[in-house]
Amino acid sequence: MSNYDYGGRRYDIPPIPDNMRRLSSLFVALVIIVVVGLAVLTQVTVRVPAGYRGVLLTFGKVEDTILPEGLSFKMPFTQSVVYMNVQLQKAESVEATVTKDLQEVSTTVVVNFRLNPGAVNDIYKDLREDYVSRVIEPNIEESLKATTAFFRAEELITKRAEVKATFDDILGERLAIFNIDVVSVSLTDFQFSKSFSDAIEA
């Protein structure tokens, strides 16, 4: 028992019992174990959101394994996961092309597409997450140019369904190479040159 002097009076302070010391040490150790356990748990588990697939990377190298929706496991500190969106996505642009009879036409193009869920690791390996700017937009432009080259200007209106089907086929073949599926396309708002529009009105 230790003594404590306060204001000229001495007070006896009882020592901390050994069992209390042991409980205190045990509590500190338990807190440390819990904190370390949570840190390790966050490193070995990954939750892939609905509508996504996980691309597994080991020190930056793309693995063959594709993580499905839900809870999955990975190697701590050495592996990371990139989430790839496999939901329906939309790309929209306005393209200027030339028809079979050399008339200039501007068209609004809307493409609904989806990444192949079974090939997101290859898509990431080749394109990272820049597939819209690197593949989809350039191929929309080239596919539309190839399509309008088959038709005369007035046929873009009179044969709209055939024009759309042709564009759909060309774009679908081009994007399939990159494991991207074309779900639907829309061609709207054909705008012709002023001289051609005036000729039609006349």
Side-chain angles (χ1 to χ4, degrees), residues 34-178:
V34 170
V35 170
V36 171
L38 289 174
V40 172
L41 186 63
T42 58
Q43 286 293 322
V44 300
T45 60
V46 58
R47 187 183 67 83
V48 179
Y52 287 77
R53 296 293 185 272
V55 176
L56 189 63
L57 307 178
T58 303
F59 292 117
K61 176 182 176 295
V62 178
E63 298 291 345
D64 294 333
T65 303
I66 296 174
L67 303 183
E69 298 174 355
L71 190 65
S72 295
F73 296 92
K74 63 183 180 67
M75 294 295 292
F77 309 110
T78 62
Q79 291 185 323
S80 59
V81 177
V82 176
Y83 302 124
M84 297 290 281
N85 188 351
V86 295
Q87 302 171 85
L88 191 66
Q89 301 180 64
K90 182 175 77 170
E92 183 175 354
S93 63
V94 178
E95 304 292 345
T97 61
V98 178
T99 62
K100 185 178 181 179
D101 51 350
L102 303 181
Q103 296 296 330
E104 295 180 357
V105 59
S106 175
T107 312
T108 300
V109 185
V110 179
V111 176
N112 291 313
F113 67 93
R114 181 183 290 118
L115 304 185
N116 183 340
V120 290
N121 51 348
D122 292 326
I123 295 172
Y124 183 79
K125 189 184 301 181
D126 295 335
L127 305 169
R128 295 296 186 264
E129 296 172 89
D130 303 326
Y131 45 84
V132 172
S133 61
R134 295 176 63 182
V135 167
I136 293 177
E137 290 177 347
N139 277 286
I140 286 176
E141 180 181 3
E142 293 303 316
S143 298
L144 188 61
K145 288 180 179 179
T147 299
T148 55
F150 285 118
F151 298 91
R152 296 191 302 275
E154 67 273 14
E155 291 177 331
L156 298 182
I157 304 301
T158 60
K159 297 182 177 180
R160 182 183 292 269
E162 186 178 343
V163 172
K164 177 179 174 295
T166 302
F167 173 74
D168 196 343
D169 291 341
I170 294 174
L171 182 62
E173 289 180 5
R174 285 172 174 263
L175 294 186
I177 298 172
F178 303 98

